[in-house]
Amino acid sequence: MSGTSEGPTPAADLDRSAVTDSDYTTYHRVFATAPLAMAVVDRTGHVTAANAAFGELLGTDPDTLTGRVAADLVDLASDTRSWHAYREVLRGRQARLRCTRRLKHPEGHSVWAQVTVGPLGDGEPAVLLSVTDVSARRELQARLRHLQMHDPVTRLPNRTLFFERLTAALEAESYEQSGTGRIGLCYLDLDGFKAVNDTLGHRVGDRLLAAVAERLGRVADEAGYARAVTPLVARLGGDEFALLVEDSTGTEQLAELAESALRALEDPFDLAGQRLSLTASIGVVERHAAGTTATGLMQAADTTLYWAKADGKARWTLFDPERNAHRMTRQALSSTLRPAIDRGEFALEYQPLVGMEDGRLSGVEALIRWNHPQFGTLTPNRFIGLAEEDGTIVPLGRWALNTACRQARRWQLDHPEEPPIFVSVNVAVRQVWDSDLVADVAETLAETGLAPHLLQLELTESAVMGSAGRPLQALQALSDMGVRIAIDDFGTGYSNLAYLSRLPVSTLKLDGSFVRGFQYEGDARALAPNPADEVVVEAMIQLAHRLGITVTAECVETSAQASRLRRIGCDTGQGWLYSRPVPPDRISELLGAQTYAVGNP
């Protein structure tokens, strides 16, 4: 290759005194015939010589490249960082630049090229630009990435690619410049898919997953019609799929997408002679992208999918912040129940049980409270269910029994001149099954010195009715010990009065719904009277008395209610008419009164 009048030849850039003519010819031939695309560029950035490989790479005669701006030929000015580094190399302030560029070939195809720019020699007024075609390597990398980022069964994007796309969509620059600034997700799980694998084998299961993926793909394509972005369908693992909606327009769009997905799966699948039907559950989340993280979005979607499963499957459920807050509270309470017992965060309050005939305080019901350091004072309906689920009810119930019996004995010792009052303690059915309740009661009575007849244990009607085996044996043993047995909330469960004759029950506590619907005589605030309630209550009281069982009415709120209950034979009343649940010292004050003053706070 010879030089032109517009610039020196490569030989001109060499020190002729340092090499022989033979050396010069050799260098020239190596440069011209080298398979590596090369060009000599002067300090102003212009090409002074290019070899045949360089011209072939760019699809042109190398001689036509002389005098051209080198940066334009290999797109070095497309990003600020590379352009700055290139200029520093030309000025001799930086040793080397290496970058990758996508070049456009005149024939229309693209060429991925690795561009290297470095000094030609010490003190030489030029640099050497070399270009390597890395298209094959890039193509291989792309294929490997596709395999790495896609599920082999369904050919959908896998969990890795899904989270990569989700994370990118939640970056501020993705939604601040354009779009709606919102994001939506449908998190789908196939109902009963495990049974398909277990009964028909994984091969059929994989075919079913591929068929589901195909239908979900069609749903996404239809949803993306006439929209800027088509939802991304991905398989997250197992039988879990996701439909990601970038720039969503609101919950209505996500609800429509979820409905379409459910409809798409309604038709049976025909898999090589196997006809299968299945349903899916979908958790739907839609929110502003700002302030949302990939982890937070997936947690919300997972929670909502759980709700859809719990609500009956074959449906979609929208994320509800209030429901989630309640769930988070339940989790927080559940995780701290056991430590709270050791920390002494529980306390008992006592609600009076008043004799209908004489108005005297005859007993109290112990009601547990949790003085939670974060949520304040919690009533039993907030945590007893959790305690029954995880078994904490056993140590908690044992603590309540011991505390109530000690307090009842203390009242008895502090007021020897007054008839002793009994204490009524609630017992969960799990306490009967998971602990030796009879032994716990016997030990507590022995330790506190409380007489057995001054302790009453309350069980719900549903827990007592139909009891057999261990529960019935425990109740009988407790009754034989002298402990009172009461059925709480009576009238809401089986209401099998005849069965009472076979149970060691001493007291029925009528559910408050009967009293609230009772006919209030002369009470202007009363709802329309329900004569049936009055007849039912009177009949239950009469039958209970025939069986030797006393009756306590719960939720007594007005003197008119108390008067009517007294006239039809109710033995004891409990409710706000007499008192709300109060601390132990308030009960001590009431013990000195001859009769109970109605309306005490």
Side-chain angles (χ1 to χ4, degrees):
M1 179 181 292
S2 61
T4 67
S5 59
E6 297 178 4
T9 66
D13 294 323
L14 302 175
D15 185 353
R16 292 296 300 270
S17 64
V19 297
T20 65
D21 290 341
S22 177
D23 292 332
Y24 165 74
T25 303
T26 299
Y27 291 143
H28 181 274
R29 288 176 178 175
V30 168
F31 175 81
T33 62
L36 176 65
M38 294 183 290
V40 177
V41 180
D42 63 22
R43 296 295 182 180
T44 66
H46 292 82
V47 175
T48 60
N51 68 359
F54 194 82
E56 183 180 351
L57 179 72
L58 299 182
T60 187
D61 185 343
D63 292 337
T64 64
L65 299 177
T66 303
R68 298 278 299 274
V69 177
D72 293 344
L73 297 176
V74 290
D75 196 26
L76 290 180
S78 60
D79 72 88
T80 304
R81 184 175 180 180
S82 296
W83 174 242
H84 175 74
Y86 172 62
R87 295 174 66 187
E88 291 295 287
V89 173
L90 289 179
R91 294 168 182 168
R93 299 174 182 173
Q94 181 172 319
R96 187 176 299 275
L97 163 67
R98 176 171 292 175
C99 60
T100 302
R101 286 292 181 268
R102 188 178 185 181
L103 308 180
K104 190 73 173 178
H105 196 277
E107 294 180 1
H109 63 273
S110 295
V111 176
W112 283 99
Q114 186 178 79
V115 180
T116 303
V117 183
L120 187 62
D122 292 340
E124 295 299 330
V127 297
L128 182 65
L129 184 150
S130 61
V131 184
T132 304
D133 186 348
V134 294
S135 300
R137 188 170 68 191
R138 292 281 300 201
E139 184 179 349
L140 176 60
Q141 290 174 343
R143 287 201 301 268
L144 292 175
R145 174 175 167 78
H146 185 275
L147 292 174
Q148 181 185 8
M149 295 295 186
H150 286 75
D151 170 50
V153 175
T154 63
R155 299 183 181 180
L156 291 177
N158 61 14
R159 190 179 190 89
T160 302
L161 182 54
F162 170 80
F163 273 98
E164 184 178 289
R165 177 84 168 263
L166 174 59
T167 301
L170 293 174
E171 292 178 354
E173 54 268 25
S174 296
Y175 56 79
E176 286 181 347
Q177 298 179 357
S178 62
T180 63
R182 303 184 68 85
I183 194 163
L185 176 64
C186 290
Y187 189 19
L188 182 148
D189 180 89
L190 303 180
D191 300 326
F193 177 75
K194 184 177 183 298
V196 175
N197 271 342
D198 292 345
T199 58
L200 301 177
H202 288 273
R203 179 175 296 182
V204 175
D206 286 349
R207 290 178 179 175
L208 179 59
L209 290 174
V212 169
E214 183 180 354
R215 293 191 186 184
L216 293 180
R218 289 200 297 267
V219 168
D221 290 340
E222 292 173 2
Y225 180 74
R227 293 184 183 273
V229 181
T230 298
L232 172 72
V233 184
R235 182 190 177 198
L236 302 187
D239 60 343
E240 297 178 356
F241 295 83
L243 290 89
L244 178 66
V245 181
E246 300 175 54
D247 292 328
S248 63
T249 57
T251 55
E252 184 177 348
Q253 179 190 1
L254 269 295
E256 291 177 357
L257 183 62
E259 285 282 1
S260 298
L262 291 180
R263 286 196 302 269
L265 301 179
E266 286 179 353
D267 293 336
F269 293 83
D270 190 358
L271 305 174
Q274 295 284 352
R275 192 170 177 82
L276 301 175
S277 296
L278 57 76
T279 59
S281 300
I282 305 177
V284 178
V285 183
E286 201 280 338
R287 58 179 55 170
H288 285 288
T292 297
T293 64
T295 300
L297 187 69
M298 290 305 299
Q299 286 178 342
D302 185 62
T303 296
T304 313
L305 174 60
Y306 170 80
W307 293 342
K309 292 279 191 183
D311 292 344
K313 302 181 180 180
R315 69 192 64 214
W316 63 269
T317 301
L318 183 66
F319 181 75
D320 181 355
E322 292 186 7
R323 184 174 180 179
N324 186 60
H326 178 69
R327 171 179 173 269
M328 297 302 292
T329 301
R330 280 177 57 87
Q331 289 180 340
L333 294 179
S334 180
S335 63
T336 55
L337 259 172
R338 289 184 184 274
I341 300 174
D342 299 331
R343 291 193 297 263
E345 294 178 3
F346 291 95
L348 292 181
E349 291 186 343
Y350 301 88
Q351 188 169 31
L353 299 167
V354 179
M356 286 290 191
E357 286 296 331
D358 56 13
R360 293 185 67 90
L361 178 66
S362 60
V364 294
E365 179 181 354
L367 298 168
I368 194 167
R369 302 288 185 264
W370 185 356
N371 297 316
H372 197 281
Q374 180 180 356
F375 302 114
T377 301
L378 303 178
T379 53
N381 64 308
R382 295 289 302 277
F383 59 86
I384 289 297
L386 295 174
E388 290 178 342
E389 289 175 9
D390 68 4
T392 312
I393 193 66
V394 173
L396 184 60
R398 190 178 292 122
W399 171 87
L401 174 68
N402 188 277
T403 302
C405 289
R406 287 186 184 279
Q407 183 60 62
R409 179 60 175 160
R410 189 173 299 117
W411 285 322
Q412 185 180 9
L413 295 175
D414 291 345
H415 301 274
E417 71 285 357
E418 297 293 334
I421 62 173
F422 70 89
V423 63
S424 189
V425 180
N426 290 279
V427 175
V429 69
R430 186 162 182 175
Q431 290 177 256
V432 181
W433 284 105
D434 292 3
S435 68
D436 192 341
L437 181 62
V438 177
D440 287 343
V441 170
E443 183 179 353
T444 298
L445 294 177
E447 288 180 356
T448 61
L450 185 69
H453 73 278
L454 295 180
L455 172 64
Q456 177 173 280
L457 300 180
E458 294 189 21
L459 290 90
T460 61
E461 179 185 354
S462 58
V464 174
M465 290 301 182
S467 291
R470 184 172 179 178
L472 182 57
Q473 294 170 7
L475 294 180
Q476 190 62 58
L478 291 167
S479 179
D480 293 343
M481 192 187 301
V483 175
R484 306 181 187 206
I485 305 296
I487 300 179
D488 194 15
D489 299 330
F490 187 79
T492 60
Y494 297 99
S495 300
N496 187 349
L497 295 173
Y499 196 75
L500 292 175
S501 62
R502 299 194 293 273
L503 289 173
V505 175
S506 56
T507 300
L508 295 182
K509 297 189 72 175
L510 295 180
D511 185 70
S513 60
F514 288 105
V515 179
R516 282 192 292 269
F518 213 71
Q519 181 176 347
Y520 300 5
E521 294 180 355
D523 191 339
R525 298 172 300 171
L527 300 173
N530 186 352
D533 282 341
E534 191 171 329
V535 172
V536 170
V537 170
E538 186 171 6
M540 286 194 295
I541 291 174
Q542 291 176 359
L543 182 55
H545 286 170
R546 293 287 298 270
L547 296 172
I549 300 173
T550 62
V551 178
T552 298
E554 299 177 307
C555 300
V556 181
E557 297 179 354
T558 69
S559 56
Q561 284 176 300
S563 176
R564 181 59 183 151
L565 287 166
R566 182 169 55 251
R567 286 204 299 269
I568 62 175
C570 188
D571 303 287
T572 308
Q574 177 182 1
W576 286 5
L577 172 67
Y578 308 107
S579 175
R580 296 172 182 264
V582 294
D585 55 352
R586 178 56 179 154
I587 299 298
S588 297
E589 296 174 7
L590 297 175
L591 282 171
Q594 292 297 317
T595 58
Y596 196 88
V598 172
N600 280 299

